[in-house]
Amino acid sequence: MAKKDRIIIVPDGGLHLLPFDALVDDTGRYLVFSHTITYATSASALYLANSVKHRPTQQTFLGIGGIPYEQNAELTKIATLRGYVSGPLVNLPASKDEILAAQATTQSDGQSTLIGTSATKSAFEHSDLADHAIIHLAVHGVANEKHPERAALILLSDTSAGDDGILEASEIVHLHTNADLVVLSACDTPLLEGYKAKKVSQISPSLFSLPGQRPLFPHCGPSTIPPRSIS
């Protein structure tokens, strides 16, 4: 092996936890300084991955944002009474542009977004979530320190549908989706700065546990700055 400059590692089991780059040779040097080390997936793993049959999605993108929080006093009242916020819910001025930019990137049609007054909790829950490969939420997200399971995303309420606009973590885990990617852009919340990381850690697990065949990757980013590009 000392005569080879490049080493390809196909780890198995516990060897995935071993940093081969940090091993030392006979001279006491780390292998990373003397060899180019590449990690590869085993043929068995590739076979299993390729053999999984995914249900094709009918639509690519579903985005929700641009919610007029400041024009909905009743929603603020409900969120305050239930302990989610201590002051008025403010608009996220760039969240609409964020959703439209993501929609343009995925080349989806206008029916793939819930923007403004259409961004209600009931509309989101009944948006055929299982038929979308990408779900993007640019909304307020809040935490509950005493009851982490009550961390929530705040959408619009719809009295005609009997919903309050607050989508709790305990409700999220019962949604059905086969999404490849779930974008959670919900960090700009009226919480103390020190609690923001905890807030995200409370909401994210519920997104990861959504029933579906594909992995979900929450992303955190405030919707107060217009997006320059989405890749």
Side-chain angles (χ1 to χ4, degrees):
M1 186 175 71
K3 297 181 180 180
K4 304 295 183 181
D5 294 329
R6 183 177 181 183
I7 303 174
I8 300 177
I9 307 294
V10 183
D12 179 65
L15 293 179
H16 284 92
L17 303 177
L18 177 63
F20 287 87
D21 315 63
L23 297 179
V24 296
D25 58 19
D26 295 336
T27 65
R29 296 182 64 201
Y30 291 112
L31 290 182
V32 68
F33 295 118
S34 57
H35 295 76
T36 299
I37 299 179
T38 304
Y39 296 89
T41 304
S42 68
S44 298
L46 288 175
Y47 172 79
L48 292 174
N50 292 330
S51 64
V52 176
K53 295 182 179 180
H54 299 300
R55 292 191 302 172
T57 55
Q58 297 176 354
Q59 300 183 59
T60 302
F61 176 82
L62 174 64
I64 180 168
I67 298 177
Y69 292 107
E70 296 176 9
Q71 287 71 47
N72 196 314
E74 184 63 24
L75 178 60
T76 294
K77 179 180 178 181
I78 294 174
T80 302
L81 290 175
R82 295 176 60 177
Y84 285 107
V85 297
S86 57
L89 286 167
V90 298
N91 294 340
L92 301 176
S95 61
K96 178 179 178 180
D97 292 337
E98 178 181 330
I99 294 301
L100 293 178
Q103 179 191 28
T105 301
T106 59
Q107 298 181 343
S108 302
D109 59 38
Q111 297 180 348
S112 62
T113 61
L114 296 173
I115 294 177
T117 56
S118 65
T120 64
K121 173 183 174 181
S122 57
F124 175 70
E125 291 176 322
H126 296 89
S127 295
D128 296 324
L129 299 178
D131 292 336
H132 295 84
I134 301 173
I135 299 176
H136 188 132
L137 302 103
V139 301
H140 273 305
V142 294
N144 187 304
E145 284 190 275
K146 295 182 179 179
H147 304 284
E149 73 280 358
R150 294 189 64 234
L153 301 176
I154 300 183
L155 313 181
L156 274 189
S157 58
D158 184 355
T159 55
S160 64
D163 77 60
D164 55 13
I166 300 175
L167 185 62
E168 296 185 344
S170 57
E171 297 174 301
I172 293 175
V173 297
H174 293 295
L175 299 177
H176 180 69
T177 175
N178 290 316
D180 294 308
L181 176 70
V182 171
V183 180
L184 172 59
S185 181
C187 282
D188 190 32
T189 56
L191 294 175
L192 294 177
E193 188 70 27
Y195 296 139
K196 287 188 177 181
K198 177 180 282 189
K199 168 188 66 66
V200 176
S201 68
Q202 289 177 0
I203 298 176
S204 296
S206 62
L207 290 174
F208 272 111
S209 61
L210 275 169
Q213 299 176 352
R214 303 182 177 102
L216 306 174
F217 304 94
H219 164 72
C220 172
S223 297
T224 54
I225 303 175
R228 295 184 180 181
S229 64
I230 297 178
S231 58

